[in-house]
Amino acid sequence: TQALSIRGLRKTYDNGFEALKGIDLEVQQGDFFALLGPNGAGKSTTLGIVSTLVNKTAGSVLVFGHNLDTDSVAAKKSMGVVPQEFNFNQFEQVRDIVVTQAGYYGMSRGEANDSADHYLQALGLWDKRHTTARMLSGGMKRRLMIARALIHNPKLLILDEPTAGVDIELRRSMWEFLQRLNEAGTTIILTTHYLEEAESLCRNIAIIDRGEIRANTSKRELLSQL
Ligand code: ADP
Ligand code: ADP
């Protein structure tokens, strides 16, 4: 099964800038996939379109076979998204932020609480569950974003530059968490401009540059070409 299938994806922003020039991308179920590229390449635009935060200009996106244009509810249920910017309410408590998200997926109160507590523990945020979000460190806010994205146990987790600005120690522990999640069956797609991150975590890597896919291959093959 394909977790993600992108065909002919184009994005021209309102100012006329062509951020995506017709990209194709396939990610298999169970993969740990990196979209690697320099700043401005089109990584966030791609993930923004997949997560329905950005409108596409042309092309198609299927998430586990669900077309974003015609079947967006099913597509959204099957994925969790961690955008780059912190977009939770800074004045809410940590646990409430995670539990509230469950409402969008029609989970019962009990399911939501159990799932929230599970991920707060797994991500080392249990002691902070009653803390107001703005009091958290940057790394904790990043983990809060991940806990919230996982509340409905999505089959696909998408992260935009998950470790940008995160110190090396926390980066390692986030990598371990993501690796365990992938081993337990969750497909993971992340964007990064760190080759090292793609190299140590991911099985398959696509390189994007100026709105075009330059390479799409297994990690082993890619590294042998460098
Ligand atoms: P869409 O076509 O998806 O609706 P827009 O072109 O309307 O997106 O832009 C969304 C927002 O991003 C606007 O508020 C715009 O001002 C802002 N924006 C404009 N240029 C850039 C840029 N180079 N990088 C990031 N954001 C930008
Ligand atoms: P990346 O995530 O790889 O750094 P982005 O997808 O954020 O790249 O941006 C790709 C290109 O599109 C960049 O040149 C950026 O300035 C431009 N861009 C992003 N958002 C907007 C916008 N809202 N309006 C105009 N240009 C944008």
Side-chain angles (χ1 to χ4, degrees), residues 95-113:
R95 189 170 183 271
D96 293 338
I97 289 170
V98 178
V99 169
T100 302
Q101 183 76 10
Y104 299 109
Y105 302 107
M107 296 168 74
S108 74
R109 193 79 199 171
E111 283 174 321
N113 288 337

Side-chain angles (χ1 to χ4, degrees), residues 6-20:
I6 290 177
R7 287 261 177 265
L9 189 63
R10 293 181 174 276
K11 174 63 182 180
T12 305
Y13 281 105
D14 292 351
N15 65 2
F17 184 80
E18 245 190 304
L20 296 177

Side-chain angles (χ1 to χ4, degrees), residues 29-48:
Q29 180 160 18
D31 203 356
F32 201 141
F33 189 94
L35 186 58
L36 178 70
N39 279 324
K43 302 183 297 294
S44 294
T45 300
T46 304
L47 294 197

Side-chain angles (χ1 to χ4, degrees), residues 56-180:
K56 62 184 160 65
T57 303
S60 69
V61 179
L62 273 62
V63 183
F64 292 101
H66 304 294
N67 192 314
L68 275 191
D69 292 332
T70 54
D71 204 1
S72 77
V73 173
K76 282 187 201 170
K77 268 197 179 177
S78 61
M79 64 180 154
V81 180
V82 183
Q84 231 174 299
E85 309 76 34
F86 300 138
N87 60 358
F88 47 77
N89 180 347
Q90 300 269 344
F91 297 96
E92 246 187 290
Q93 288 182 14
V94 166
R95 189 170 183 271
D96 293 338
I97 289 170
V98 178
V99 169
T100 302
Q101 183 76 10
Y104 299 109
Y105 302 107
M107 296 168 74
S108 74
R109 193 79 199 171
E111 283 174 321
N113 288 337
D114 290 350
S115 181
D117 291 351
H118 169 76
Y119 286 114
L120 290 174
Q121 275 164 0
L123 284 156
L125 289 169
W126 181 248
D127 293 343
K128 301 287 180 188
R129 63 194 182 282
H130 299 308
T131 302
T132 304
R134 71 185 169 85
M135 305 301 288
L136 299 179
S137 70
M140 287 176 183
K141 287 177 182 172
R142 183 63 56 196
R143 283 177 280 156
L144 168 57
M145 297 280 287
I146 296 174
R148 187 183 60 174
L150 289 171
I151 183 77
H152 58 302
N153 294 306
K155 291 192 286 181
L156 170 64
L157 180 66
I158 297 176
L159 309 103
D160 196 1
E161 298 271 358
T163 61
V166 169
D167 68 53
I168 188 70
E169 206 133 311
L170 177 60
R171 190 177 299 171
R172 291 245 166 75
S173 79
M174 280 179 59
W175 287 0
E176 277 167 31
F177 173 82
L178 293 174
Q179 236 142 12
R180 280 198 303 271

